Every structure is written in structure tokens, then in C-alpha cells.
Amino acid sequence: MAEVTLRDVALASGCSIATVSRVLAGTRPVGAETARTVRAAAERLGYRPNQVARALRSRSTGTVGLVLPQITNPFFPPSSGSWSTPCTPRAGRAPRRL
């Protein structure tokens, strides 16, 4: 089954792609009835945001890279594991800047 796109949701809801994008992203105000129509169409079609497309558009992946000089050194595995806690999103709180 093909991935459902914003265009598919726009066709199903009778709205423009820009309006669908605004409703689903919550970036700009849209009328309550229009928002309900778009959300209902998105739910009915099983729309899920494409994280790759979102990362390309925002120019941010939320990925952290860690380069280690030698993984076999006993010092590095525990210290690399300690990075996972501050990098994990915390429920209801903004992510920390490292």
C-alpha cells in the first residue's frame, strides 16, 4: 500500500495542500470546521507524517552523532552510553541543548 501524502488528504478533504499542511502542523490559524474536516480525512486515510521529508524541510534531523577514537578502549563504552539519557526526549518537557 502506498504512503498517504498531504495531497491525498487535500483531495479527500476538499482543501488545498497548503491548508492541510497548516492544519496538521499547527503552524497557522485555520477555521475550526476546516481543521475538523482535514483531521477527519487524515485519520480516515491513515496519514502519518513522513519524518524524512520533515527533516529535509526543517534541515534538522534530531540525530546526534558520536565519534570515538577507539571503541575497544574500556573507557569509551560506558561514557558513550551516558549520552543516551540527555539526548532522549523527556515527556512534557523541552529537549535539553547540549
Side-chain angles (χ1 to χ4, degrees):
M1 183 173 165
E3 184 174 321
V4 178
T5 65
L6 286 179
R7 178 171 287 150
D8 299 328
V9 176
L11 288 171
S13 65
C15 297
S16 70
I17 296 171
T19 300
V20 171
S21 176
R22 288 179 187 131
V23 169
L24 297 179
T27 55
R28 296 203 180 166
V30 178
E33 185 60 34
T34 302
R36 273 193 295 277
T37 303
V38 169
R39 286 193 182 99
E43 175 121 6
R44 186 174 65 251
L45 295 171
Y47 173 78
R48 297 288 174 257
N50 183 319
Q51 296 302 323
V52 174
R54 183 174 280 181
L56 286 170
R57 181 72 178 124
S58 68
R59 303 174 104 188
S60 174
T61 62
T63 303
V64 175
L66 182 62
V67 179
L68 301 173
Q70 186 181 24
I71 195 68
T72 57
N73 184 319
F75 172 77
F76 294 114
S79 63
S80 64
S82 66
W83 277 87
S84 64
T85 302
C87 294
T88 303
R90 297 170 292 165
R93 297 163 83 186
R96 277 190 255 175
R97 296 267 183 203
L98 299 176

